[in-house]
Amino acid sequence: MKRIEKLEMKGICKSFVGVKANRNVDLTIEKGDILGLLGENGAGKTTLMNILYGLYMPDEGQVLVNGEPLHLKSPKDSMKAGIGMIHQHFMLIQKHTVLENIALGYAEAPFLFPQKYMRKRIEEYSRKFGLEVDPDKKIWELSAGEQQRVEILKALLRNADLLIMDEPTSVLTPPEADELFEILRKMIGEGHSVILISHKLEEIISICNRVMVMRKGEVTGAAEIKDVTKVDLARMMIGREISASYEKAALEPGDPVLEIASLSVNSDQGLPIVKDFSMTVRRNEILGIAGVSGNGQREMVEAVTGLRRAEKGTVKLQGREVTNKSARTIHNLGINHVPEERIKFGTVANLQLFENSVLKKHHEKPYSTNMLMNYPLIKNHADSIIEKYHVDAASINVPVKNLSGGNMQKLILGREIASEPSLLIAAHPTYGLDVGAAEYIRKELIHARDRGGAVLLVSEDLEELFQVCDKIAVMFEGRIMGIVDPSDCDIDDIGLMMAGTSVGLKGEKN
Amino acid sequence: MLEIITSILVRTVVAGTPLLLGTLGEVISERAGILNLGVEGMMSLGAATGFIVTFTTGNPWLGLMAATIAGALISVIHAFVTVSLRANQVVSGLALTMLGLGLSGLWGKPYIGRPLTTKMHAIRIPVLSDIPVIGKVLFYQDPYFYLSVALGILVWFLMKHTKVGITVRSVGENPKAAETLGINVARVKYLCVMAGGAFAGMAGAHLSTAYSKSWIEGMTSGRGWIVIALTIFALWEPSRAFVGAYVFGGIFVIQYVLQPLGISPNLLAMLPYATTLGVLLFYGMSKKGKRRMSAPATLGEPYIRGSR
């Protein structure tokens, strides 16, 4: 089989119901390249890669290998063409050995004793690329780094010339990431090429030789790594044009509502991800948290809302300590939360709309008394949310999973705001929504602030933060790099802080 | 004394044979992620079909073949409902049990109480069968015994040392991963459910043409349920199905031996289930055991193609 010397994607366009995920995207990668694909969540990187891997068909545009057009209808086609993809969540069978995982569906393995045959192949490839892994270990016995090596082996043994890796270091410890980069270097030495999807500027600079930046479905920059700095990349990622902000009542921030002091939180892997984090949110104030995702924003929010343990530090709500209290206690004290995955955490998809409208309060008076639900009242409540927050639903008796993302989000927001909490935490509330719904949600956040509440808004959409917030804090590696006033600040400063350089405001790095 | 022990062991192996066949089938099906609670029904249909065909043709081998096919065919219903329509596997399996029991009762009605004149002859393996005790137990049995042992070894070998085995196990553990590597998940599931049905059919034929050589309604008397318990007891391993089947077969026989001594048969009938609970408890206590014990990861879950 001919190897991939040069792969091109030309004029790729792809829309999903109304949202343009890719607009006229071009990409070129040659033998021996490690191309970094950089962009915020929702910038269209994954869509583009799924097109290349044959999971989606592009609306327009084509893929060329060595100058010849390629028709990719399924992952099988792309595998045949020498394209392999390693997903963020490994496609491995936990209870099987490494050998069995690699032998699965492997055409050249013999019917009898395929493990024996695979062992030889695996040893050969392990030596060639420095992919050390014990072939007889079960997957669940392996660390994340070793599991990733199994995935790489799987792809290489299937003759993947071009390897697409979706945020490969997000599950790795720093030494494991270094080992991965060593492996990638060996691979390009053997004439393979790699596309690395990542949020991490540092990583792209250190391992890639070329970079392509995407924003809102378009390519906003492409360069050789030697010609750019981290700050350039951050700038390409966040864009420049910021439209006018929303109308807000001129209000002075009031008393502190949320005070976080020296908070430290661990990630799912048990490593510190929020480090010595301090911050105050006041009445009549929307504080935005900016930053490239994966810098501890999610874990910080989870710690504040009682969903994750705080290792150190204190969280105070209106002077009252709530550190490591249960999620229900914290909610009852007045912190309401619009979580980042609305289907998974914000609603119970199979319950009906009216039932979802009282979640977190369903066990209390007046919605229930002595274990009996007060359905007439609940339904009235649901009706009022629908009306007030313009939720477009056939009826309050439909399962919430039938609502569109925007309407689901309006319902969640309505539910969380209706009780006028002292603090509203919203994580990526407009992610994946159409323009109209996003605008509506932003206005409601401002409304909550004008009413006298405090709002903590975590978002990757810098434009949104600029339009809505009174203050923006930039988070990097679990710390606040600086806090700026959006009406009076240089967007370049934010880019610098997102890339880990403090601008002499509050951070301590560099 | 030696003779009593020999006779108990001989009968143990005979009683264990249908359990072994049924369990092997259920292991295959569950390994591919499909729980089939219809074993009792499939077995019963196999027993009726096996008896009718043997009775009318006078050829027990034809009876065995017909029972195998009947078991595989009726299990297609379960495969269709659970794989293609993605319905609840428990409900479908229970329905299959009732269907199988009903059909076998209906078709077998005219044959109740009629004795079988032809039967498979026991095969005596020269030299080996002369060994005291073991010779009679292992080397002078009817063909079903040898067939079940051969099939058991075959299933174990296929599961462990061939590509087919890896494919089947992967489909039950992580169908999505299997799918991305180009495996037709639905086809694997269908074939495994049908294999399960075929094995249950054979088990039924053994009951009606070799074990009791007559047909009565409900003659499977709960063996299908024991098979379900045995599958768990065996921790989805064909090799342990042997142990389970003969231990439980032994319990069947011991019931009759102990009854004259004043031990309640009800208490003994409970033994298979109590033993299963005991095994689960034993493995559940240790962390390593838990890993080994865990059922195929997607057992009972419908697989929807292309979902995330």
Side-chain angles (χ1 to χ4, degrees), chain A residues 13-135:
Chain A
C13 294
K14 176 79 188 170
S15 307
F16 297 101
V17 260
V19 183
K20 287 207 164 170
N22 281 158
R23 264 183 280 189
N24 208 13
V25 176
D26 293 330
L27 176 150
T28 308
I29 181 162
E30 286 176 42
K31 188 176 162 180
D33 274 348
I34 300 185
L35 173 68
L37 189 52
L38 188 66
E40 294 164 344
N41 279 331
K45 300 166 295 187
T46 307
T47 305
L48 187 68
M49 288 304 106
N50 281 340
I51 289 172
L52 187 54
Y53 191 53
L55 284 171
Y56 299 152
M57 298 276 280
D59 299 339
E60 273 172 59
Q62 56 177 347
V63 180
L64 302 159
V65 169
N66 302 337
E68 291 187 27
L70 200 61
H71 294 286
L72 301 169
K73 291 197 196 79
S74 77
K76 253 190 202 166
D77 297 337
S78 58
M79 250 186 266
K80 229 184 266 164
I83 301 167
M85 183 158 176
I86 294 174
H87 298 263
Q88 215 173 339
H89 304 286
F90 303 140
M91 292 275 193
L92 293 171
I93 291 143
Q94 293 292 322
K95 263 184 267 168
H96 288 185
T97 61
V98 172
L99 280 171
E100 288 172 333
N101 266 282
I102 297 179
L104 175 62
Y106 191 70
E108 287 142 58
F111 180 79
L112 291 179
F113 304 110
Q115 289 98 328
K116 217 179 220 169
Y117 172 84
M118 293 315 296
R119 189 186 301 275
K120 271 193 220 135
R121 300 296 310 268
I122 290 169
E123 275 165 10
E124 178 190 325
Y125 274 73
S126 298
R127 236 178 293 121
K128 199 159 145 195
F129 297 102
L131 284 157
E132 270 166 58
V133 61
D134 181 350

Side-chain angles (χ1 to χ4, degrees), chain A residues 400-455:
Chain A
V400 150
K401 65 178 175 196
N402 293 359
L403 298 188
S404 72
N407 285 309
M408 208 183 274
Q409 196 69 322
K410 285 180 190 169
L411 171 71
I412 296 172
L413 197 72
R415 179 182 79 205
E416 301 301 328
I417 295 184
S419 60
E420 308 207 337
S422 19
L423 175 69
L424 179 74
I425 300 180
H428 313 287
T430 60
Y431 178 68
L433 300 191
D434 61 84
V435 184
E439 189 158 318
Y440 181 81
I441 301 251
R442 288 176 195 142
K443 282 189 177 146
E444 280 304 324
L445 293 177
I446 293 174
H447 192 75
R449 158 204 183 265
D450 292 351
R451 200 204 63 229
V455 178

Side-chain angles (χ1 to χ4, degrees), chain A residues 4 50 63-64 72 76 151 160 177 180 201 222 267 283 325 331 351 356-357 388 391 451:
Chain A
I4 299 180
N50 281 340
V63 180
L64 302 159
L72 301 169
K76 253 190 202 166
E151 284 281 30
L180 170 67
L201 307 172
S267 68
R283 270 173 71 94
K325 290 266 191 316
H331 173 261
L351 287 191
N356 270 288
S357 75
K388 220 168 137 193
V391 182
R451 200 204 63 229

Side-chain angles (χ1 to χ4, degrees), chain B residues 42-108:
Chain B
M42 300 187 294
M43 215 186 249
S44 188
L45 187 71
T49 314
F51 184 85
I52 295 168
V53 172
T54 309
F55 188 86
T56 44
T57 63
N59 185 340
W61 291 101
L62 275 180
L64 167 64
M65 232 160 76
T68 310
I69 294 168
L73 281 182
I74 195 173
S75 71
V76 173
I77 300 173
H78 186 63
F80 178 70
V81 169
T82 58
V83 180
S84 300
L85 305 182
R86 299 190 286 268
N88 185 304
Q89 296 179 8
V90 172
V91 175
S92 167
L94 291 176
L96 193 68
T97 284
M98 292 176 211
L99 180 68
L101 287 174
L103 284 179
S104 59
L106 184 70
W107 290 335

Side-chain angles (χ1 to χ4, degrees), chain A residues 56 95 100 109 113 115, chain B residues 160-161 163 169 173 295 308:
Chain A
Y56 299 152
K95 263 184 267 168
E100 288 172 333
F113 304 110
Q115 289 98 328
Chain B
K160 198 160 172 130
H161 293 294
K163 254 168 115 169
R169 286 183 283 136
E173 291 291 339
R308 294 202 188 193

